[in-house]
Amino acid sequence: MKTLMLVRHAKSDWGQPGLADHDRPLNDRGLRDAPAMGARLRERGSVPDAIRSSTALRAQTTAKLIARELGLDAASVELDERLYGSSPQTILRVVGELDDALGRAMIVAHNPGMADLAYDLTGSIGEMPTCAVLELDFDVDEWAELEFQAPVATRFDTPR
């Protein structure tokens, strides 16, 4: 059994003209929502064995705030530049490269790739609001098998 946790980054700040998209920080709401979602995951006992995040500042910050609420240190967040602006296929490629000894993994990235992947995997969840968490359980032994299987259980949560 493998559990894939898809997390869209928390709400970001658009208030700094000229700042590159990659460098946008979280706004106040994002800084509140990410720890709150981490606390909800902790309460459910949903702690990932691995966290992979986009290199964008807003995604990194989201991942690190969630990790802290889960009792993990910032070093547990591994950055992967392929997750910035990624397609569903690229996200699945990153997931497929995970160590098969891991049972639960979290990916923190961006729309539209996250929403498109959520729909591809569930056939029903077509929107990933900021800081949404979609947990998908798959009856597989290898991460690379996920794209060929439907999840056996899903849990979807948003900050609002």
Side-chain angles (χ1 to χ4, degrees), residues 53-104:
S53 173
S54 159
T55 54
L57 179 59
R58 60 193 180 275
Q60 288 185 51
T61 306
T62 299
K64 290 174 182 175
L65 288 170
I66 290 173
R68 184 171 59 202
E69 284 298 319
L70 294 171
L72 305 171
D73 62 22
S76 66
V77 177
E78 185 174 318
L79 303 181
D80 192 319
E81 63 187 17
R82 295 175 296 173
L83 293 172
Y84 177 67
S86 55
S87 67
Q89 295 78 17
T90 300
I91 297 168
L92 284 174
R93 193 171 313 118
V94 170
V95 171
E97 293 171 3
L98 292 168
D99 183 337
D100 290 326
L102 303 172
R104 184 181 298 266

Side-chain angles (χ1 to χ4, degrees), residues 136-159:
L136 304 151
D137 295 333
F138 294 89
D139 189 14
V140 296
D141 295 320
E142 299 175 5
W143 288 105
E145 297 177 88
L146 261 61
E147 70 179 298
F148 306 109
Q149 300 291 323
V152 295
T154 62
R155 290 166 301 285
F156 185 62
D157 196 6
T158 66

Side-chain angles (χ1 to χ4, degrees), residues 2 8 11 22 25 46-47 64 67 73 76 88 103 110 119 148:
K2 302 286 185 208
R8 181 178 174 204
K11 190 79 172 160
H22 191 270
S46 294
V47 179
K64 290 174 182 175
D73 62 22
S76 66
H110 313 266
Y119 186 78
F148 306 109

